[in-house]
């Protein structure tokens, strides 16, 4: 019998085809919606997304590892995904410190270490002091419960960066869906996901916002619009700078400067006096921002001097041409960034975070960029100085990586303050700015035919780069290649997207690269609800009771959970991570300063009861180990309590309490006089 399609079935198929065709045509047609409405709707979407995430207390922390260390098993707050042990600065350092700040009432100077420390420097912590006005992601801790405040802290910098890029791309392309998709693809880059934190997002956010703000200020005739835009950009600059992390700030600066200066030079429809008049609010904002930053730095001068004078990272400078200090395979991995899920990244990178980079969408379009520059010059329209500026900034960073011998110039440009692998953030920002410019310029062409060779060259750049990386993975990192699931499909989709970008298309390739980015790195951070509050555990409550009855200093012996719970309960402790050494603390532990090279650094200060261990030893670049001798002068004079996850057999400790917690036991001891 022959199956005959009924007229009704044919009608449904035809209607489905018509609907898909109509949708496709709507996607590729220029939007007729006014730019202002496009921007407002897009920003409103980001605001709603932030509101939902904060309302439900959703974050991407890996603090579930602390739950596992204490109780074993899976943390019920973990909704989806896998906590990442490599992100220890987030779940082992910042998360417990944030809880401790809430416990202590958000002090400006924390008393966790003997001598205390300034909470406004190094770590991203909430505190009560005027400069918290420059940390908007912290404001929730003053008005919201801990879970919701932590969610705001987690998402606000991330979504602000994505929103800034959306505004820039929508202004250049007038394609809101494409802009939203590409902003999401950029935010989902492996680098951002493996280094997720406000310090990673504010520098690119302010750089991109400065580019978008320049365009809008030169276009609008309304003075108050320009002042509002300038205020927003200047504020974001201050927010980024007070993080005080040059390895991210400096690389993001140069692409933004190239773009902004180039765009101002190109605004030929305006006279130079008019250009300067329209940009004047930004100049005023820069002056105000500079004054605010100066006050911030001067009022924290002692702390900043202490950080800068450390062995690590204060004295860390990078020479030019030191490309061997990081893996080129990881830097240009592209879609092979998905392989960072491998348990063993040997031959690819030291670890997943150090191996994270970007999918350089814009760099693949350099052939199109060069043709656009030549075509514009040939038509007598002059140079596209914004594109020249961005390409020059990328050239500067490539030179810093690969060309040795100009260290003096690099020092003047502050580039030697950039740890070599971190410069990739500037290349990521430059690449996305170049993508925005290339597609925007191609979309403006109406009477100029775009040559096919630019598309062929751009697609070839995608395929050739990934072929070289593939060969490197086969030889050096087969485990990473094995973990790169569906890489062939991802590569094909990426090549198609780049090909479409090179023809001036925006929406379809934007959606494609967003899908690629989500598959490559969207899985890195888990979806977590709430905060694992160790103060509410049995051992946390026991610590608070013992310290209330007999206040004094603590140490945690072995075990991550023991150190973390001391942090969260807010008791004074000689254990934990120091951003820089407390002089009072190390005067107690090392009175003659003989081990200063070991402890004068950013480091985890861990304690051991092993009698054969050295008194103080540097285990790794950021781990200092101190031996507990309860009968020794240090413990007898300065330590009152010890928390351990194993029994301690020493004559000068007396067990106060043992607490069964999950699958293990915590022991609390008092230090007693030596016999």
């Amino acid at each position: 019998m022959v199956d005959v399609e009924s007229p009704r079935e044919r009608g449904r198929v035809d209607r489905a085809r018509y609907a898909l065709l109509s949708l496709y045509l709507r996607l590729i047609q220029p939007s007729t919606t006014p730019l202002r409405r496009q921007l407002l709707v897009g920003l409103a979407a980001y605001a709603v997304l932030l509101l939902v995430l904060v309302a439900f207390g959703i974050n991407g922390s890996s603090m579930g590892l602390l739950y596992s260390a204490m109780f074993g098993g899976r943390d019920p707050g973990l909704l989806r995904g896998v906590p990442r042990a490599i992100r220890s600065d987030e779940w082992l350092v910042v998360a417990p410190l944030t809880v401790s700040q809430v416990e202590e009432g958000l002090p400006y100077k924390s008393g966790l270490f003997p001598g205390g420390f300034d909470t406004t420097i190094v770590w991203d912590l909430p505190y009560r002091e005027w400069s918290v006005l420059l940390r908007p992601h912290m404001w929730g801790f003053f008005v919201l419960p801990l879970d919701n405040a932590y969610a705001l802290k987690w998402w606000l910098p991330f979504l602000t960066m994505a929103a800034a890029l959306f505004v820039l791309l929508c202004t250049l392309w007038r394609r809101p869906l494409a802009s939203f998709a590409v902003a999401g693809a950029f935010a989902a880059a492996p680098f951002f996901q493996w280094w997720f934190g406000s310090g990673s997002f504010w520098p690119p956010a302010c750089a991109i916002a400065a580019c978008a703000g320049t365009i809008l200020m030169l276009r609008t005739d309304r003075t108050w619009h320009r002042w509002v835009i300038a205020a927003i950009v200047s504020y974001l600059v201050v927010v980024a700078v007070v993080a005080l992390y040059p390895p991210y700030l400096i690389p993001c600066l140069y692409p933004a400067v190239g773009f902004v200066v180039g765009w101002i030079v190109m605004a030929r429809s305006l006279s130079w006096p008019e250009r300067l008049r329209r940009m004047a609010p930004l100049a005023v904002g820069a002056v105000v921002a500079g004054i605010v930053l100066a006050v911030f730095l001067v009022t924290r001068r002692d702390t900043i001097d202490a950080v800068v004078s450390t062995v690590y990272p204060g004295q860390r400078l990078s020479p030019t041409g030191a490309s061997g200090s990081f893996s080129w395979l990881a830097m240009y991995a592209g879609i092979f960034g998905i392989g960072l899920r491998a348990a063993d990244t040997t031959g690819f990178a030291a670890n997943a975070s150090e191996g994270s980079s970007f999918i350089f969408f814009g760099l693949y379009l350099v052939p199109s960029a060069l043709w656009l520059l030549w075509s514009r010059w040939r038509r007598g329209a002059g140079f596209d100085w914004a594109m020249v500026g961005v390409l020059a900034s990328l050239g500067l960073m490539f030179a810093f990586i690969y060309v040795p011998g100009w260290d003096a110039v690099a020092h003047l440009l502050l580039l030697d303050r950039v740890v070599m692998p971190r410069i990739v953030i500037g290349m990521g920002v430059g690449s996305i700015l170049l993508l925005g410019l290339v597609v925007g310029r191609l979309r403006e062409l109406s009477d100029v035919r775009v040559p096919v060779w630019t598309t062929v060259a751009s697609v070839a750049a995608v395929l050739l780069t990934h072929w070289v990386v593939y060969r490197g993975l086969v030889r050096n990192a087969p485990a990473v290649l094995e973990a790169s699931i569906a890489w062939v499909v991802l590569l094909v989709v990426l090549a198609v997207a780049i090909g479409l970008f090179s023809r001036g298309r925006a929406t379809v390739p934007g959606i494609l690269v967003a899908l690629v980015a989500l598959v490559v790195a969207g899985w890195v951070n888990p979806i977590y609800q709430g905060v694992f509050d160790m103060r509410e555990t049995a051992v946390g409550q026991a610590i608070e009771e013992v310290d209330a009855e007999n206040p004094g200093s603590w140490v945690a012996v072995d075990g991550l959970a023991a150190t973390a719970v001391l942090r969260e309960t807010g008791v004074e402790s000689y254990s934990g991570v120091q951003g820089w050494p407390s002089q009072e603390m190390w005067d107690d532990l090392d009175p003659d300063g003989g081990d200063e090279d070991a402890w004068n650094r950013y480091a985890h200060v861990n304690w051991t009861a092993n009698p054969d261990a050295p008194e103080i030893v540097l285990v790794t670049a950021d781990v200092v180990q101190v031996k507990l001798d309860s009968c020794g002068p240090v413990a007898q004079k300065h330590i009152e309590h010890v928390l351990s996850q194993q029994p301690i057999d020493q004559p000068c400790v007396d067990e106060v309490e043992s607490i069964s917690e999950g699958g293990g036991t915590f022991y609390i001891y008092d230090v007693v006089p030596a016999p």
Side-chain angles (χ1 to χ4, degrees):
M1 178 180 293
V2 178
D3 291 334
V4 178
E5 188 178 33
S6 70
R8 179 176 296 177
E9 290 172 342
R10 284 198 302 270
R12 280 201 297 266
V13 172
D14 290 341
R15 284 194 295 273
R17 290 173 178 170
Y18 178 77
L20 289 174
L21 178 61
S22 299
L23 176 61
Y24 174 75
L25 292 175
R26 289 190 63 184
L27 290 177
I28 65 174
Q29 290 299 316
S31 176
T32 57
T33 305
L35 176 62
R36 182 180 178 183
R37 186 178 302 172
Q38 292 180 14
L39 298 180
L40 290 176
V41 170
L43 294 175
Y46 284 107
V48 170
L49 179 58
L50 177 64
L51 181 63
V52 171
L53 292 169
V54 171
F56 286 96
I58 303 297
N59 62 70
S61 175
S62 291
M63 68 182 77
L65 289 168
L66 288 174
Y67 180 96
S68 300
M70 181 168 283
F71 294 101
R74 177 188 173 97
D75 188 341
L78 181 63
L79 303 181
R80 293 195 63 182
V82 178
R84 303 290 168 185
I86 192 61
R87 290 190 36 77
S88 59
D89 279 352
E90 179 269 311
W91 61 269
L92 183 59
V93 179
V94 176
L97 283 172
T98 301
V99 176
S100 75
Q101 281 294 99
V102 174
E103 169 69 14
E104 293 186 82
L106 308 179
Y108 163 75
K109 186 173 183 178
S110 172
L112 290 182
F113 275 131
F117 64 89
D118 185 345
T119 60
T120 68
I121 300 292
V122 178
W123 290 305
D124 198 29
L125 301 177
Y127 55 86
R128 294 183 185 276
E129 199 247 4
W130 70 266
S131 62
V132 80
L133 295 172
L134 309 178
R135 303 179 189 271
H137 51 299
M138 296 300 178
W139 297 348
F141 289 98
F142 296 95
V143 295
L144 297 175
L146 175 61
D147 292 350
N148 309 94
Y150 200 88
L152 180 66
K153 174 179 182 283
W154 186 269
W155 294 114
L156 181 61
F158 171 78
L159 292 176
T160 300
M161 184 193 71
L165 183 56
F166 165 80
V167 171
L168 174 63
L169 296 179
C170 199
T171 302
L172 291 171
W173 298 352
R174 302 297 179 94
R175 308 298 297 156
L177 181 56
S179 304
F180 197 87
V182 174
F186 181 66
F191 183 89
F192 288 134
Q193 297 305 307
W194 286 104
W195 293 103
F196 204 107
S198 64
S200 301
F201 296 121
W202 288 126
C206 79
I208 295 167
C211 298
T214 298
I215 299 174
L216 295 172
M217 290 175 70
L218 289 172
R219 286 184 180 179
T220 182
D221 293 324
R222 298 188 178 183
T223 302
W224 73 271
H225 282 182
R226 294 196 290 272
W227 282 102
V228 169
I229 294 168
I232 294 171
V233 172
S234 300
Y235 179 72
L236 288 176
V237 170
V238 177
V239 170
V241 174
V242 296
L244 295 181
Y245 193 63
Y248 287 167
L249 287 166
I250 295 166
C252 291
L253 168 69
Y254 287 104
V257 169
F259 186 106
V260 168
V261 173
W263 199 276
I264 294 172
V265 172
M266 285 178 55
R268 292 190 179 90
S269 61
L270 302 172
S271 66
W272 271 106
E274 179 62 16
R275 288 181 234 184
L276 297 177
R277 187 181 71 83
R278 294 195 178 202
M279 296 303 298
L282 192 58
V284 173
V287 171
V288 173
I291 294 172
V292 173
L293 289 171
V295 173
F296 177 81
L297 296 175
V298 168
T299 53
R300 265 143 273 263
R301 180 166 32 180
D302 291 343
T303 303
I304 294 171
D305 288 344
V307 174
V308 172
S309 64
T310 58
V311 175
Y312 171 87
Q315 298 178 13
R316 183 170 51 177
L317 298 176
S318 299
T320 57
S323 59
S325 62
F326 67 103
S327 170
W328 67 268
L329 276 178
M331 183 171 182
Y332 303 107
I335 55 96
F336 288 111
I338 193 174
L340 292 171
R341 66 178 65 218
D344 180 14
T345 59
T346 302
F348 184 73
N351 54 57
S353 295
E354 295 294 343
S356 60
S357 184
F358 291 83
I359 303 176
F360 295 117
F361 307 122
L363 290 185
Y364 300 132
L365 293 172
V366 167
S368 295
L370 296 177
W371 175 80
L372 283 165
L373 290 174
W374 176 81
S375 175
R376 183 183 178 93
W377 176 80
R378 188 188 63 174
R379 289 183 281 117
F383 282 112
D384 187 331
W385 289 108
M387 196 174 294
V388 170
V390 172
L391 287 171
S393 72
L394 289 168
L396 176 67
M397 285 181 275
F398 274 113
F400 179 68
I401 296 169
Y402 297 110
V403 180
W406 53 288
D407 293 44
V409 177
H411 184 70
L412 291 174
L413 297 174
L414 302 179
L415 284 171
D416 61 354
R417 286 288 178 180
V418 181
V419 184
M420 188 59 77
R422 305 295 184 268
I423 200 168
V424 73
I425 192 173
M427 297 178 64
V429 171
S431 175
I432 205 68
L433 293 179
L434 188 60
L435 171 67
L437 285 169
V438 168
V439 174
R441 297 297 186 244
L442 289 171
R443 293 181 66 81
E444 293 172 0
L445 298 177
S446 57
D447 56 348
V448 179
R449 184 180 181 129
V450 180
V452 175
W453 70 262
T454 60
T455 298
V456 173
S458 294
V459 172
V462 176
L463 300 178
L464 180 61
T465 302
H466 284 84
W467 179 79
V468 173
V469 173
Y470 170 80
R471 297 299 303 166
L473 293 176
V474 170
R475 292 191 301 269
N476 303 312
V480 173
L481 181 60
E482 184 178 349
S484 299
I485 58 174
W487 69 266
V488 175
V489 176
L490 292 173
L491 181 56
V492 170
V493 174
L494 177 61
V496 170
I498 295 301
L500 291 172
F501 278 138
S502 73
R503 309 309 295 175
R505 300 293 179 84
T507 303
V508 172
I511 294 172
L512 293 179
V513 296
L515 293 174
V516 169
L518 288 173
V519 174
V520 169
W523 45 268
V524 171
N525 291 292
I527 300 175
Y528 196 91
Q529 186 171 33
V531 173
F532 177 46
D533 192 342
M534 302 178 82
R535 298 174 300 172
E536 299 176 355
T537 63
V539 65
Q541 294 174 4
I543 290 169
E544 291 180 341
E545 291 173 2
V546 169
D547 195 71
E549 293 178 4
N550 182 21
S553 295
W554 294 66
V555 296
V557 176
D558 301 319
L560 299 179
T563 301
V565 72
L566 286 184
R567 275 286 193 249
E568 293 201 5
T569 52
V571 297
E572 184 181 82
S573 171
Y574 286 87
S575 303
V577 178
Q578 60 178 24
W580 63 95
S582 161
Q583 191 62 49
E584 179 178 321
M585 171 174 160
W586 287 104
D587 283 347
D588 295 343
L589 301 182
D590 184 29
D592 63 1
D595 294 302
E596 183 175 352
D597 284 346
W599 52 257
N600 184 19
R601 61 186 63 234
Y602 175 101
H604 296 257
V605 182
N606 297 337
W607 288 69
T608 178
N610 181 357
D612 298 325
E615 294 294 328
I616 299 174
V617 63
L618 182 64
V619 179
T620 65
D622 61 353
V623 176
V624 178
Q625 180 178 277
V626 184
K627 183 176 75 173
L628 173 66
D629 177 5
S630 59
C631 296
V634 170
Q636 288 289 303
K637 185 175 181 181
H638 302 295
I639 298 172
E640 279 73 33
H641 310 291
V642 179
L643 176 67
S644 176
Q645 292 178 256
Q646 302 292 334
I648 296 178
D649 184 16
Q650 292 191 9
C652 295
V653 292
D654 180 37
E655 183 177 326
V656 176
E657 189 174 356
S658 62
I659 306 102
S660 296
E661 196 81 83
T665 303
F666 288 81
Y667 301 87
I668 296 178
Y669 297 92
D670 281 345
V671 176
V672 297

